Amino acid sequence: MKTVFKSICKLPMGVVMLGIVSMFSNAASVIVSTFSPTLVIDILHEDVSVLGNVRGITEGFAYIVKLFTGFISDYVGKRKPIVLCGYFFSILVKPIFATAHSIVAYATAQALDRTTNGLRDAPRDAMIADIAPKEYRGLAFGLRQALSAVGSTVGAFAIYLLLTYLSSSGTGKIELVRSAYWFTIVPLSVCVLVLMFFVKDPTSNTKLKDRKGFPIKKADLKEFDIHYWFFIFIAFIFMCSRSSEVFLVNRAKELGLSVQYHTLVLLTTYFASGISAYLMGIVADKISRKICLLIGFLCLLVSYIMFAVYDDLTSNFISLFIYGWHFGTVQIVLFAMLTDFTPKHLKGTSFGVLSFVTAIGMIVASSLQGHVWDKFGAEVSYIVLSAILIVSIVLLLFLRVPSKDKLK
């Protein structure tokens, strides 16, 4: 425990506060992901492919928004106002989920929710890159991801207790789901308060408008070298293979998990991701980040194989833990490696580019898995994703990363 606190003390307070914001934010986000399959499939009576299309397109749109918010935060030299707007408007969107009675209403709520997510994430992560010393970037992103996982775990457990209580009192499935969505307003309000009073914009941001105008220009993108673009390509192929959280919940649902226990699915994955994010964040600062990323890719492959081969809940939860370990590892190592390839004055732009290719990849992955799931079943859908994942693993082996003394 002392080692943990010593490590955290190496980081500026702004990084810790942004991690706390992510913690409360994920406590709300886990609810949206957990109950989407029940709301769309059981309450609104739509197919899995519809769920996949809506989630894929809206998640992808969120990452496209991140592209522009990353650019804009570099342009104006201010990130906090954009992040604050994202969290504030997210509060206004949640009641739409709670009152949705058609797939159009759900899709609208999902699109608006992902837009607010896109507003805040790229500038927030760029703030962390701005604030954290370069030798502790892995630790900084690891702490942020670990706290996000803590928030998801606590949020999932809190909702589990709430739904268990409501279920025992005779509350029906529809009322259970809608009550959960209303609950999300509480942690998001905390996010806004922490940002307003405890987080300051870093003073070292470079204003691109003082350099060469609005940053969406070829001249700016040319500052990224060939190794950066190969890294982005690998990230794109990888995202084409990543299963959305809603499919994890739906798989457990098909195996017989009752609705009041659906939060345990993401509680398991985020608990594992919290442990891996913190540990791998420290390791990634000491050894090759490429090796750490490879470990994350391989963990995802193992989890997919288990999802495809085993059809009992015990094996499913073991697979979920391994999936969570991959998530925590890949998330923080991708971000840390991205900053290694990126010029200091283009951090926000760099996160925006990664978000854009992630958007396209997630649209492909969710739509593909949803359609394959409907036609051939869950097992085949995970085999297809595994094949794409293997391509990204092979490509990663050929990636050249900058040495420690050449970090940007």
Side-chain angles (χ1 to χ4, degrees), residues 98-144:
T99 57
H101 289 281
S102 68
I103 191 61
V104 174
Y106 171 80
T108 301
Q110 182 66 22
L112 292 173
D113 186 63
R114 294 297 85 194
T115 300
T116 63
N117 181 272
L119 277 174
R120 69 195 189 221
D121 281 8
R124 180 202 62 202
D125 291 329
M127 283 180 73
I128 293 175
D130 289 337
I131 299 170
K134 64 182 181 181
E135 64 270 21
Y136 295 124
R137 283 176 188 157
L139 174 62
F141 285 112
L143 176 65
R144 200 271 296 165

Side-chain angles (χ1 to χ4, degrees), residues 17-18 21 79-88 120 124 127 188-201:
M17 289 295 104
L18 287 169
V21 168
R79 310 198 196 277
K80 177 179 172 179
I82 302 173
V83 179
L84 190 57
C85 285
Y87 283 110
F88 177 75
R120 69 195 189 221
R124 180 202 62 202
M127 283 180 73
L188 287 171
S189 298
V190 176
C191 292
V192 172
L193 293 175
V194 172
L195 274 169
M196 287 177 63
F197 298 108
F198 298 101
V199 178
K200 294 182 179 180
D201 250 330

Side-chain angles (χ1 to χ4, degrees), residues 369-390:
Q369 186 174 16
H371 286 287
V372 173
W373 192 306
D374 270 343
K375 290 187 177 182
F376 304 104
E379 296 85 354
V380 176
S381 75
Y382 282 109
I383 292 173
V384 171
L385 294 184
S386 296
I388 301 173
L389 176 58
I390 291 172

Side-chain angles (χ1 to χ4, degrees), residues 258-279:
S258 301
V259 63
Q260 62 264 35
Y261 302 117
H262 284 184
T263 55
L264 299 180
V265 172
L266 297 188
L267 188 153
T268 301
T269 59
Y270 282 113
F271 175 75
S273 73
I275 299 173
S276 68
Y278 181 76
L279 294 179

Side-chain angles (χ1 to χ4, degrees), residues 166-323:
L166 292 176
S167 180
S168 64
S169 64
T171 305
K173 180 189 293 186
I174 296 176
E175 290 74 17
L176 288 176
V177 172
R178 299 196 186 283
S179 297
Y181 281 120
W182 282 113
F183 180 78
T184 60
I185 295 175
V186 176
L188 287 171
S189 298
V190 176
C191 292
V192 172
L193 293 175
V194 172
L195 274 169
M196 287 177 63
F197 298 108
F198 298 101
V199 178
K200 294 182 179 180
D201 250 330
T203 57
S204 60
N205 288 348
T206 300
K207 294 186 179 182
L208 292 187
K209 65 181 180 181
D210 296 336
R211 183 174 62 88
K212 55 174 85 169
F214 195 77
I216 308 180
K217 289 185 175 183
K218 290 182 180 179
D220 295 314
L221 297 181
K222 285 180 179 178
E223 294 194 46
F224 299 124
D225 61 25
I226 187 65
H227 303 299
Y228 169 85
W229 290 112
F230 186 54
F231 172 76
I232 289 295
F233 180 68
I234 294 171
F236 167 71
I237 299 299
F238 172 75
M239 293 309 302
C240 287
S241 73
R242 180 179 262 182
S243 178
S244 173
E245 294 166 336
V246 296
F247 291 111
L248 303 182
V249 176
N250 198 51
R251 178 60 174 156
K253 174 175 169 291
E254 286 189 348
L255 294 176
L257 192 68
S258 301
V259 63
Q260 62 264 35
Y261 302 117
H262 284 184
T263 55
L264 299 180
V265 172
L266 297 188
L267 188 153
T268 301
T269 59
Y270 282 113
F271 175 75
S273 73
I275 299 173
S276 68
Y278 181 76
L279 294 179
M280 296 305 290
I282 295 175
V283 172
D285 285 332
K286 298 182 181 299
I287 68 170
S288 169
R289 287 173 182 161
K290 177 179 173 179
I291 293 176
C292 295
L293 190 61
L294 181 61
I295 291 171
F297 282 16
L298 291 174
C299 285
L300 181 59
L301 182 61
V302 171
S303 71
Y304 281 177
I305 292 172
M306 292 187 67
F307 282 132
V309 172
Y310 299 104
D311 59 359
D312 61 282
L313 281 173
T314 300
S315 298
N316 184 259
F317 272 92
I318 295 173
S319 305
L320 289 170
F321 187 89
I322 299 172
Y323 179 95

Side-chain angles (χ1 to χ4, degrees), residues 29-42:
S29 296
V30 69
I31 297 169
V32 176
S33 295
T34 297
F35 294 106
S36 286
T38 301
L39 179 60
V40 173
I41 296 171
D42 294 345

